[in-house]
Amino acid sequence: MTRAHNFCAGPAALPQQVLEQARTELLDWQGTGMSIMEMSHRSKEYVAIAEAAEQDLRDLLGISDDYAVLFLQGGASQQFSMIPMNLLKKGETADYVNTGQWSSKAIAEAQRFGNINVVASAADKNFSYVPVQSSWNESKDAVYLHYTPNETIGGVEFPFVPQTDKPLIADYSSSILSRPMDVNKYGLIYAGAQKNIGPAGIVVVIVRRDLLGRVSGLPAMLDYKVHADNGSMYNTPPTYAWYLAGLVFKWLKAQGGLEGIARANDRKAEKLYGYIDQSGFYSNPVNKADRSRMNVPFVLADAGLDKQFLTQANDARLLNLAGHRSVGGMRASIYNAVPEAAVDALIEFMQDFAKRNG
Ligand SMILES: Cc1ncc(COP(=O)(O)O)c(C=O)c1O
């Protein structure tokens, strides 16, 4: 068996060691005679697995007890509505920064629940940059400020954390755990699991406890307080995805934690952008200071070669390099679990393709 190099934007590559451990434990988890998939979520064995995963995530990100850590379902997309439902009372306003397709979706959902003030938008330049904060038009009475630190489709990443005295809310779906961060700057962080956390089916929400219960009368499943009060076990959680996330957190600790993985991520991104910029054949449209270290979109000098590029890349076992269906071109997602060797193989292929077609 040889595993291919997988550059998928999500569900994305998982660390091979994690998959191997899951395989070893699949039929009989630590002598219990059952798979984790077959265990009650209320059993002491499973509760221990769930608690260890939460503790490892708290250790990695330095999350204090002022925050609840929730393992929920519905994806990051459900958070687009849960956030305004839980935080905005009738007639209240929230500020949103629009840096691409994911922020746009978050804005569209939030508009169902309150007054949404878009403080800045990068739509004027096809979402290829992050507007500097001094240009933002923030409202005085906003209840919170929402932004998307990493736009997965456009490949745009904030090089700064916005300054605000309001609770700061961030969709970290595609860059959580890629480098150290200060959770204390945030009111709420959310991230779909299927990039840097684990398999699809789970979304992690880190929410400051004083924000819980701000709006009452919500459906139980959409109320953060209900989930926080029940340790994310108000109903049956996605047990296997939670367990796999726990294995990924342990793997991350073994990589030297977030400092260690950040060094690897920086090296991978520098190599790939470095090659693209000097190639004369490929280009990346994003403002250099705002380039994502997780998602690297690029186009070929001649879009007529796109199909050929993708077919030949596939033959070379370099998978999932097509750009998002809405933008075309190429995109290499180089999340935590994508090894540097995969980036080296991609660059080698790109060089060879350019030589043959340039
Ligand atoms: C930044 C960002 N936000 C939200 C989403 C939506 O996530 P989900 O499909 O888990 O709802 C994605 C998915 O790729 C994403 O990249």
Side-chain angles (χ1 to χ4, degrees):
M1 182 207 66
T2 50
R3 284 182 39 91
H5 295 307
N6 182 4
F7 299 94
C8 192
L14 284 165
Q16 184 161 327
Q17 294 97 310
V18 165
L19 295 174
E20 283 166 355
Q21 186 174 345
R23 178 177 61 186
T24 306
E25 296 179 341
L26 185 66
L27 293 182
D28 178 6
W29 188 77
Q30 298 197 0
T32 54
M34 334 170 233
S35 164
I36 283 168
M37 280 180 267
E38 303 165 306
M39 259 178 211
S40 164
H41 57 295
R42 312 250 178 234
S43 64
K44 72 172 184 336
E45 290 86 358
Y46 189 77
V47 169
I49 290 169
E51 286 177 354
E54 178 179 333
Q55 190 55 53
D56 284 333
L57 181 63
R58 284 183 180 275
D59 295 347
L60 283 163
L61 283 167
I63 305 170
S64 80
D65 201 44
D66 294 344
Y67 291 80
V69 175
L70 310 177
F71 292 83
L72 306 180
Q73 299 181 62
S77 300
Q78 184 160 288
Q79 294 308 308
F80 295 162
S81 40
M82 268 179 87
I83 288 161
M85 279 175 106
N86 279 263
L87 298 182
L88 284 186
K89 293 181 186 157
K90 210 169 181 321
E92 287 185 329
T93 299
D95 281 348
Y96 277 70
V97 191
N98 189 358
T99 49
Q101 292 200 31
W102 292 112
S103 350
S104 302
K105 285 199 166 163
I107 290 166
E109 279 303 299
Q111 280 167 337
R112 300 173 191 272
F113 301 96
N115 307 320
I116 301 307
N117 171 45
V118 177
V119 301
S121 167
D124 59 336
K125 290 188 187 151
N126 201 22
F127 295 120
S128 61
Y129 73 105
V130 173
V132 292
Q133 196 173 355
S134 57
S135 71
W136 298 4
N137 180 23
E138 292 168 59
S139 43
K140 276 200 194 69
D141 57 349
V143 172
Y144 63 83
L145 170 65
H146 178 283
Y147 79 116
T148 310
N150 186 70
E151 285 282 357
T152 321
I153 296 171
V156 173
E157 185 172 0
F158 271 69
F160 60 90
V161 176
Q163 304 269 339
T164 177
D165 53 5
K166 314 264 162 37
L168 182 61
I169 302 212
D171 174 2
Y172 262 101
S173 291
S174 47
S175 56
I176 195 165
L177 297 173
S178 64
R179 61 193 51 257
M181 63 185 282
D182 183 359
V183 170
N184 294 318
K185 292 186 171 156
Y186 295 85
L188 186 152
I189 289 164
Y190 62 106
Q194 63 272 22
K195 294 117 171 23
N196 269 343
I197 294 176
I202 206 162
V203 53
V204 170
V205 177
I206 302 164
V207 53
R208 221 171 58 207
R209 293 188 198 275
D210 65 313
L211 296 173
L212 298 172
R214 192 168 190 273
V215 171
S216 49
L218 295 174
M221 282 298 289
L222 299 176
D223 188 337
Y224 291 131
K225 187 163 185 326
V226 169
H227 291 295
D229 288 348
N230 289 280
S232 304
M233 293 206 191
Y234 172 74
N235 74 325
T236 314
T239 50
Y240 199 70
W242 192 337
Y243 150 76
L244 280 174
L247 295 188
V248 171
F249 300 151
K250 291 231 184 297
W251 173 82
L252 264 174
K253 282 184 159 179
Q255 307 308 302
L258 300 189
E259 278 92 8
I261 206 74
R263 281 193 295 276
N265 286 333
D266 285 345
R267 269 200 313 276
K268 291 186 295 184
E270 275 162 27
K271 270 188 182 175
L272 187 49
Y273 285 113
Y275 170 65
I276 289 170
D277 287 345
Q278 59 84 42
S279 69
F281 187 85
Y282 306 96
S283 61
N284 166 280
V286 178
N287 182 35
K288 279 194 177 160
D290 307 329
R291 283 172 163 180
S292 168
R293 286 162 292 204
M294 294 285 104
N295 310 98
V296 183
F298 59 93
V299 292
L300 277 56
D302 172 5
L305 292 169
D306 282 5
K307 253 203 171 132
Q308 228 174 298
F309 180 92
L310 288 169
T311 307
Q312 292 177 18
N314 231 53
D315 292 345
R317 307 277 282 160
L318 304 165
L319 308 185
N320 293 312
L321 284 164
H324 190 266
R325 61 188 186 281
S326 63
V327 293
M330 308 298 155
R331 173 178 50 171
S333 293
I334 49 174
Y335 299 121
N336 289 348
V338 175
E340 194 165 340
V343 174
D344 293 338
L346 173 60
I347 293 172
E348 200 177 312
F349 170 79
M350 288 169 73
Q351 282 169 332
D352 182 56
F353 187 87
K355 211 184 289 165
R356 287 184 283 111
N357 296 282

